[in-house]
Amino acid sequence: MALLITCLALWSDGAMTTALAQQQSGPTSTDIVQSLPSPAQPSVEDATVELPPSALPHNLSPWGMFLAADNVVKAVMISLVFASVVTWTIWLAKTLQLATARYRASRGLRLLSENPTMAGALTALAGRNGTVADMLLAAQREIELSDPAIDHAGSEGLKARVGSALERTEARAGRRMAKGTGVLATIGSTAPFVGLFGTVWGVMNSFIGISQAQTTNLAVVAPGIAEALLATAIGLVAAIPAVVIYNVFARSVTGYRHLLADASAGIERIVSRDLDFRKLSGAGRAKPTFAGE
């Protein structure tokens, strides 16, 4: 019995000693691990905003961007496309008109050079269309109107009146040929700025959408900016061909006017030659003729 009591006393003393040792040595590794805070989880605000597929634009083609654009931007795009159609319509019409007019002027100038008299030139150009034929007829009408006074008043007044008639006919033909090219100049100078207006309006709406959605996700803001930039692209597509075509037509019209000026000078020479030979007596020299007349 005494032995049992002694054992219990020794065990109690050992347990107390172990507890005191643990208190003096600090917390154990298990206690430290348990006391560490758990890793912080990323908040919803720090996470990347992922939009559902239905919220993302599914058609970024030019037609899709046009349909999704603002009404003002759509109106700008439609006006620029219409301007482009007008440009190419003028190009086709004026190309055919200029080609035909230059061919007729070149042919008329060649016939004038082959016929040194008014009668021969009228015969060669009879029934032909073109400005050169109109100029020759205008000179002939002036000669017929002035014929009774030529022998008394001299030929200087007739030459001046013929030159005036040819000058006005040439000017009318030049204006008629240049008609429509002013539209090309207007389109070429204004289309880029019209497209820029559409771009500014679209970008402004995109920024307003950013503030309302409270997100800067590129997938949300990029489509609106792309739609706005499409207006500038269409403006350049309308302006660049208009400027190039206008310059080409300006040079072509200038060349056509040079042909008419040569024809006018040729007709004046024919009129002056006929008037000089008219002064000669019947027994004098004959009018010059070319081979083939």
mmCIF file of all heavy atoms in Angstrom, residues 90-91 93-94 97-98 171-184 246 249 253 257:
data_model
loop_
_atom_site.group_PDB
_atom_site.id
_atom_site.type_symbol
_atom_site.label_atom_id
_atom_site.label_comp_id
_atom_site.label_asym_id
_atom_site.label_seq_id
_atom_site.Cartn_x
_atom_site.Cartn_y
_atom_site.Cartn_z
ATOM 1 N N ILE A 90 -19.491 60.754 -111.594
ATOM 2 C CA ILE A 90 -18.912 61.868 -112.357
ATOM 3 C C ILE A 90 -17.694 61.396 -113.134
ATOM 4 O O ILE A 90 -17.477 61.803 -114.288
ATOM 5 C CB ILE A 90 -18.557 63.025 -111.409
ATOM 6 C CG1 ILE A 90 -19.839 63.624 -110.823
ATOM 7 C CG2 ILE A 90 -17.750 64.102 -112.133
ATOM 8 C CD1 ILE A 90 -19.585 64.711 -109.800
ATOM 9 N N TRP A 91 -16.892 60.548 -112.511
ATOM 10 C CA TRP A 91 -15.705 60.045 -113.210
ATOM 11 C C TRP A 91 -16.086 59.312 -114.493
ATOM 12 O O TRP A 91 -15.487 59.545 -115.549
ATOM 13 C CB TRP A 91 -14.936 59.098 -112.299
ATOM 14 C CG TRP A 91 -13.858 58.334 -113.010
ATOM 15 C CD1 TRP A 91 -12.616 58.779 -113.366
ATOM 16 C CD2 TRP A 91 -13.943 56.993 -113.490
ATOM 17 N NE1 TRP A 91 -11.920 57.812 -114.028
ATOM 18 C CE2 TRP A 91 -12.714 56.697 -114.123
ATOM 19 C CE3 TRP A 91 -14.928 56.017 -113.438
ATOM 20 C CZ2 TRP A 91 -12.456 55.455 -114.698
ATOM 21 C CZ3 TRP A 91 -14.681 54.782 -114.020
ATOM 22 C CH2 TRP A 91 -13.450 54.510 -114.637
ATOM 23 N N ALA A 93 -18.968 59.522 -116.264
ATOM 24 C CA ALA A 93 -19.623 60.390 -117.238
ATOM 25 C C ALA A 93 -18.621 61.347 -117.887
ATOM 26 O O ALA A 93 -18.608 61.516 -119.118
ATOM 27 C CB ALA A 93 -20.740 61.181 -116.555
ATOM 28 N N LYS A 94 -17.762 61.969 -117.078
ATOM 29 C CA LYS A 94 -16.815 62.938 -117.626
ATOM 30 C C LYS A 94 -15.721 62.257 -118.443
ATOM 31 O O LYS A 94 -15.203 62.857 -119.397
ATOM 32 C CB LYS A 94 -16.188 63.765 -116.507
ATOM 33 C CG LYS A 94 -17.163 64.565 -115.680
ATOM 34 C CD LYS A 94 -17.993 65.506 -116.522
ATOM 35 C CE LYS A 94 -17.209 66.624 -117.127
ATOM 36 N NZ LYS A 94 -18.051 67.605 -117.824
ATOM 37 N N GLN A 97 -17.332 61.753 -121.787
ATOM 38 C CA GLN A 97 -17.550 63.041 -122.437
ATOM 39 C C GLN A 97 -16.237 63.643 -122.930
ATOM 40 O O GLN A 97 -16.152 64.152 -124.060
ATOM 41 C CB GLN A 97 -18.230 64.001 -121.460
ATOM 42 C CG GLN A 97 -18.594 65.344 -122.070
ATOM 43 C CD GLN A 97 -19.227 66.266 -121.046
ATOM 44 O OE1 GLN A 97 -19.261 65.978 -119.858
ATOM 45 N NE2 GLN A 97 -19.748 67.392 -121.515
ATOM 46 N N LEU A 98 -15.206 63.594 -122.099
ATOM 47 C CA LEU A 98 -13.920 64.158 -122.491
ATOM 48 C C LEU A 98 -13.280 63.379 -123.634
ATOM 49 O O LEU A 98 -12.700 63.974 -124.556
ATOM 50 C CB LEU A 98 -12.977 64.185 -121.285
ATOM 51 C CG LEU A 98 -13.010 65.444 -120.426
ATOM 52 C CD1 LEU A 98 -12.219 65.240 -119.153
ATOM 53 C CD2 LEU A 98 -12.477 66.632 -121.208
ATOM 54 N N ALA A 171 -15.126 79.375 -125.050
ATOM 55 C CA ALA A 171 -15.361 79.502 -123.611
ATOM 56 C C ALA A 171 -16.559 78.676 -123.169
ATOM 57 O O ALA A 171 -16.538 78.022 -122.119
ATOM 58 C CB ALA A 171 -15.562 80.973 -123.246
ATOM 59 N N ARG A 172 -17.631 78.694 -123.977
ATOM 60 C CA ARG A 172 -18.811 77.895 -123.628
ATOM 61 C C ARG A 172 -18.481 76.409 -123.612
ATOM 62 O O ARG A 172 -18.932 75.662 -122.726
ATOM 63 C CB ARG A 172 -19.951 78.181 -124.605
ATOM 64 C CG ARG A 172 -20.640 79.506 -124.403
ATOM 65 C CD ARG A 172 -21.951 79.554 -125.172
ATOM 66 N NE ARG A 172 -21.743 79.418 -126.613
ATOM 67 C CZ ARG A 172 -21.526 80.426 -127.443
ATOM 68 N NH1 ARG A 172 -21.480 81.675 -126.984
ATOM 69 N NH2 ARG A 172 -21.376 80.209 -128.740
ATOM 70 N N ALA A 173 -17.702 75.974 -124.592
ATOM 71 C CA ALA A 173 -17.329 74.558 -124.631
ATOM 72 C C ALA A 173 -16.468 74.185 -123.432
ATOM 73 O O ALA A 173 -16.631 73.103 -122.851
ATOM 74 C CB ALA A 173 -16.591 74.257 -125.927
ATOM 75 N N GLY A 174 -15.559 75.074 -123.030
ATOM 76 C CA GLY A 174 -14.729 74.788 -121.863
ATOM 77 C C GLY A 174 -15.536 74.716 -120.584
ATOM 78 O O GLY A 174 -15.309 73.841 -119.747
ATOM 79 N N ARG A 175 -16.498 75.643 -120.416
ATOM 80 C CA ARG A 175 -17.351 75.592 -119.222
ATOM 81 C C ARG A 175 -18.199 74.334 -119.203
ATOM 82 O O ARG A 175 -18.399 73.722 -118.144
ATOM 83 C CB ARG A 175 -18.243 76.833 -119.172
ATOM 84 C CG ARG A 175 -17.521 78.115 -118.811
ATOM 85 C CD ARG A 175 -18.508 79.206 -118.431
ATOM 86 N NE ARG A 175 -19.454 79.470 -119.507
ATOM 87 C CZ ARG A 175 -19.281 80.398 -120.450
ATOM 88 N NH1 ARG A 175 -18.171 81.104 -120.473
ATOM 89 N NH2 ARG A 175 -20.197 80.601 -121.367
ATOM 90 N N ARG A 176 -18.713 73.961 -120.365
ATOM 91 C CA ARG A 176 -19.524 72.751 -120.434
ATOM 92 C C ARG A 176 -18.704 71.512 -120.074
ATOM 93 O O ARG A 176 -19.198 70.606 -119.404
ATOM 94 C CB ARG A 176 -20.112 72.611 -121.836
ATOM 95 C CG ARG A 176 -21.039 71.402 -121.996
ATOM 96 C CD ARG A 176 -21.756 71.442 -123.331
ATOM 97 N NE ARG A 176 -20.824 71.384 -124.458
ATOM 98 C CZ ARG A 176 -20.564 72.409 -125.260
ATOM 99 N NH1 ARG A 176 -21.146 73.588 -125.066
ATOM 100 N NH2 ARG A 176 -19.726 72.283 -126.279
ATOM 101 N N MET A 177 -17.456 71.504 -120.501
ATOM 102 C CA MET A 177 -16.626 70.345 -120.208
ATOM 103 C C MET A 177 -16.190 70.312 -118.745
ATOM 104 O O MET A 177 -16.016 69.233 -118.164
ATOM 105 C CB MET A 177 -15.394 70.365 -121.118
ATOM 106 C CG MET A 177 -14.654 69.046 -121.195
ATOM 107 S SD MET A 177 -15.708 67.683 -121.741
ATOM 108 C CE MET A 177 -16.288 68.326 -123.312
ATOM 109 N N ALA A 178 -16.011 71.475 -118.128
ATOM 110 C CA ALA A 178 -15.587 71.521 -116.721
ATOM 111 C C ALA A 178 -16.752 71.381 -115.747
ATOM 112 O O ALA A 178 -16.523 71.284 -114.533
ATOM 113 C CB ALA A 178 -14.856 72.829 -116.451
ATOM 114 N N LYS A 179 -17.972 71.373 -116.250
ATOM 115 C CA LYS A 179 -19.138 71.261 -115.381
ATOM 116 C C LYS A 179 -19.137 69.929 -114.642
ATOM 117 O O LYS A 179 -18.972 68.874 -115.238
ATOM 118 C CB LYS A 179 -20.415 71.399 -116.218
ATOM 119 C CG LYS A 179 -21.675 71.458 -115.391
ATOM 120 C CD LYS A 179 -22.898 71.652 -116.280
ATOM 121 C CE LYS A 179 -24.176 71.723 -115.469
ATOM 122 N NZ LYS A 179 -25.369 71.911 -116.334
ATOM 123 N N GLY A 180 -19.302 69.991 -113.346
ATOM 124 C CA GLY A 180 -19.313 68.787 -112.518
ATOM 125 C C GLY A 180 -18.018 68.540 -111.774
ATOM 126 O O GLY A 180 -18.025 67.844 -110.762
ATOM 127 N N THR A 181 -16.921 69.105 -112.265
ATOM 128 C CA THR A 181 -15.654 68.877 -111.569
ATOM 129 C C THR A 181 -15.586 69.635 -110.248
ATOM 130 O O THR A 181 -14.836 69.254 -109.352
ATOM 131 C CB THR A 181 -14.481 69.293 -112.466
ATOM 132 O OG1 THR A 181 -14.631 70.664 -112.852
ATOM 133 C CG2 THR A 181 -14.436 68.426 -113.720
ATOM 134 N N GLY A 182 -16.353 70.728 -110.121
ATOM 135 C CA GLY A 182 -16.383 71.442 -108.847
ATOM 136 C C GLY A 182 -16.931 70.592 -107.716
ATOM 137 O O GLY A 182 -16.532 70.758 -106.556
ATOM 138 N N VAL A 183 -17.845 69.673 -108.037
ATOM 139 C CA VAL A 183 -18.370 68.759 -107.009
ATOM 140 C C VAL A 183 -17.256 67.873 -106.471
ATOM 141 O O VAL A 183 -17.183 67.591 -105.267
ATOM 142 C CB VAL A 183 -19.518 67.919 -107.596
ATOM 143 C CG1 VAL A 183 -20.039 66.921 -106.565
ATOM 144 C CG2 VAL A 183 -20.643 68.820 -108.067
ATOM 145 N N LEU A 184 -16.369 67.442 -107.365
ATOM 146 C CA LEU A 184 -15.240 66.614 -106.917
ATOM 147 C C LEU A 184 -14.336 67.390 -105.971
ATOM 148 O O LEU A 184 -13.846 66.838 -104.970
ATOM 149 C CB LEU A 184 -14.444 66.140 -108.131
ATOM 150 C CG LEU A 184 -15.184 65.251 -109.131
ATOM 151 C CD1 LEU A 184 -14.278 64.923 -110.310
ATOM 152 C CD2 LEU A 184 -15.665 63.977 -108.466
ATOM 153 N N TYR A 246 -10.294 64.753 -109.666
ATOM 154 C CA TYR A 246 -10.389 66.181 -109.985
ATOM 155 C C TYR A 246 -9.114 66.672 -110.666
ATOM 156 O O TYR A 246 -9.175 67.426 -111.649
ATOM 157 C CB TYR A 246 -10.645 66.974 -108.712
ATOM 158 C CG TYR A 246 -10.610 68.469 -108.920
ATOM 159 C CD1 TYR A 246 -11.683 69.140 -109.482
ATOM 160 C CD2 TYR A 246 -9.473 69.203 -108.575
ATOM 161 C CE1 TYR A 246 -11.647 70.507 -109.694
ATOM 162 C CE2 TYR A 246 -9.432 70.577 -108.784
ATOM 163 C CZ TYR A 246 -10.513 71.217 -109.334
ATOM 164 O OH TYR A 246 -10.468 72.567 -109.556
ATOM 165 N N PHE A 249 -9.028 65.362 -114.262
ATOM 166 C CA PHE A 249 -9.957 66.084 -115.135
ATOM 167 C C PHE A 249 -9.482 67.514 -115.397
ATOM 168 O O PHE A 249 -9.693 68.048 -116.496
ATOM 169 C CB PHE A 249 -11.353 66.102 -114.520
ATOM 170 C CG PHE A 249 -12.098 64.807 -114.683
ATOM 171 C CD1 PHE A 249 -13.171 64.489 -113.865
ATOM 172 C CD2 PHE A 249 -11.739 63.901 -115.663
ATOM 173 C CE1 PHE A 249 -13.859 63.302 -114.022
ATOM 174 C CE2 PHE A 249 -12.414 62.706 -115.829
ATOM 175 C CZ PHE A 249 -13.481 62.410 -115.001
ATOM 176 N N VAL A 253 -9.185 68.783 -119.151
ATOM 177 C CA VAL A 253 -9.941 69.930 -119.652
ATOM 178 C C VAL A 253 -8.994 70.992 -120.198
ATOM 179 O O VAL A 253 -9.273 71.628 -121.226
ATOM 180 C CB VAL A 253 -10.838 70.503 -118.533
ATOM 181 C CG1 VAL A 253 -11.466 71.823 -118.971
ATOM 182 C CG2 VAL A 253 -11.936 69.506 -118.174
ATOM 183 N N ARG A 257 -9.011 72.424 -123.991
ATOM 184 C CA ARG A 257 -9.078 73.848 -124.337
ATOM 185 C C ARG A 257 -7.921 74.243 -125.258
ATOM 186 O O ARG A 257 -8.083 75.126 -126.114
ATOM 187 C CB ARG A 257 -9.056 74.684 -123.065
ATOM 188 C CG ARG A 257 -10.379 74.662 -122.304
ATOM 189 C CD ARG A 257 -10.317 75.443 -121.019
ATOM 190 N NE ARG A 257 -11.630 75.560 -120.409
ATOM 191 C CZ ARG A 257 -11.845 76.093 -119.205
ATOM 192 N NH1 ARG A 257 -10.814 76.538 -118.500
ATOM 193 N NH2 ARG A 257 -13.074 76.172 -118.717
#
